[in-house]
Amino acid sequence: MELGTIGIWSLAFTHGDRTEARDAAAELEELGYGAIWLGGSPGGNPRGDLVTAAEVLATTDRIAVATACVSIWERSPNRLADTYHALPQQQRSRLLIGLGVSHADFVDRYREPYHALRSYLDAVTPSLPSTARMIGAHGPQMTRLAAAKSAGVHPYLVDPAHTAWARSMLGDGPMLALEQTVILHTSAETARAKARTMLAPYLKLRNYRSAWLRRGFTTEDLAFGGSNRLIDALFAWGSPDEIAARLTEHRTAGADHVAVQVVTDAPGTFARQAWRDLAPELVTT
């Protein structure tokens, strides 16, 4: 799966207007981005991930499309494989299915997530090649599992130090395609306020809190909407060239691909002007 070095991650493709989704996808391909990531949210998507993927794939010709991430609790291995194989071969060749275990807060039957994911991957393997799937992983067990049974990992809300750690865990072969949240604003006060609003629901989730604490942040960093230290580590804010510099840090630390999520005021908003403004800096990075 060829993702290029920079992609766009957006909730708008799963939450926004369908006509604009098709127009925006075609424009991202024209701008030169390597992939469109159909953003997932902690509480799930109002539309099916693979339904949206099929729409975006049908609208474009070259750009890769990735889901981030399909919950293993919501779609059986057989149903996932059937939906995947219903797509034309030319579209399947551009589709990367991100899989994840979601969170106990949203899944009643959430039990032993590592073993559940391992069993799911074993069940889906005959129908869905490992090169067509990626795991939303942050911890060591899940990262090792992703390296063994998928194309790689797609960590979310991480800093370059995590990227370096993940690369050391994966080794040279598996793909490391992370999400980087960005705010195109040069005022620290404004950018951090927007970041805290976006981060608020994630600070309540055990999986994310555990991942940040493992990386050396403290419970104080996670309190009151997040310390400046946490915000500045997880979010890239500033001008397009300052954001490009953060992406370079990730790539220097071992990332193969960075999926850029521009913070918007609502999940259905397509940040099209920001994608245009960033393209001259990012697609040549």
Side-chain angles (χ1 to χ4, degrees):
M1 179 65 60
E2 180 53 55
L3 299 180
T5 56
I6 305 295
I8 292 295
W9 194 109
S10 176
L11 285 167
F13 288 101
T14 48
H15 291 65
D17 178 80
R18 307 323 306 152
T19 298
E20 187 169 10
R22 291 188 288 270
D23 291 344
E27 182 178 15
L28 288 174
E29 183 171 69
E30 189 65 27
L31 286 170
Y33 290 103
I36 296 171
W37 291 80
L38 310 178
S41 57
N45 295 326
R47 295 175 53 78
D49 304 81
L50 296 186
V51 171
T52 304
E55 290 181 357
V56 175
L57 286 163
T59 302
T60 56
D61 297 315
R62 304 177 306 279
I63 197 168
V65 177
T67 67
C69 287
V70 174
S71 171
I72 65 169
W73 312 102
E74 295 179 1
R75 189 175 282 103
S76 70
N78 287 341
R79 183 181 167 205
L80 177 69
D82 288 346
T83 306
Y84 175 77
H85 284 285
L87 296 170
Q89 171 58 36
Q90 193 277 337
Q91 293 184 12
R92 292 202 304 271
S93 69
R94 293 190 285 127
L95 176 62
L96 181 64
I97 299 178
L99 294 169
V101 296
S102 187
H103 302 272
D105 307 61
F106 309 117
V107 181
D108 291 338
R109 61 186 185 279
Y110 192 93
R111 298 288 187 280
E112 299 184 328
Y114 170 81
H115 296 291
L117 179 59
R118 187 181 185 93
S119 296
Y120 190 98
L121 294 174
D122 288 342
V124 82
T125 290
S127 304
L128 183 68
S130 61
T131 54
R133 65 198 191 211
M134 178 168 277
I135 308 303
H138 293 85
Q141 272 195 317
M142 291 291 195
T143 299
R144 285 193 290 265
L145 180 62
K149 293 182 175 290
S150 79
V153 296
H154 177 58
Y156 184 84
L157 286 171
V158 296
D159 63 355
H162 179 95
T163 299
W165 172 86
R167 175 48 68 198
S168 70
M169 291 290 295
L170 292 168
D172 293 334
M175 187 186 307
L176 175 49
L178 62 96
E179 177 271 352
Q180 173 64 67
T181 312
V182 310
I183 300 168
L184 271 170
H185 209 293
T186 56
S187 162
E189 181 179 2
T190 299
R192 287 169 178 158
K194 288 181 176 292
R196 288 187 173 96
T197 298
M198 183 270 181
L199 190 63
Y202 297 94
L203 285 170
K204 301 174 184 177
L205 300 176
R206 177 181 176 183
N207 290 354
Y208 283 108
R209 293 177 66 87
S210 297
W212 295 325
L213 292 172
R214 279 196 304 269
R215 297 271 59 81
F217 294 102
T218 67
T219 54
E220 289 76 16
D221 285 316
L222 307 186
F224 306 109
S227 67
N228 287 348
R229 174 177 176 240
L230 180 71
I231 295 298
D232 292 348
L234 301 183
F235 292 80
W237 55 266
S239 62
D241 63 308
E242 289 172 316
I243 289 168
R246 170 63 67 85
L247 271 56
T248 298
E249 287 184 56
H250 280 295
R251 291 175 57 201
T252 300
D256 299 298
H257 175 88
V258 182
V260 174
Q261 178 183 187
V262 177
V263 172
T264 60
D265 293 332
T269 302
F270 292 86
R272 298 180 70 172
Q273 188 57 56
W275 299 340
R276 295 167 191 147
D277 293 342
L278 286 167
E281 291 288 341
L282 301 190
V283 297
T284 57
T285 300

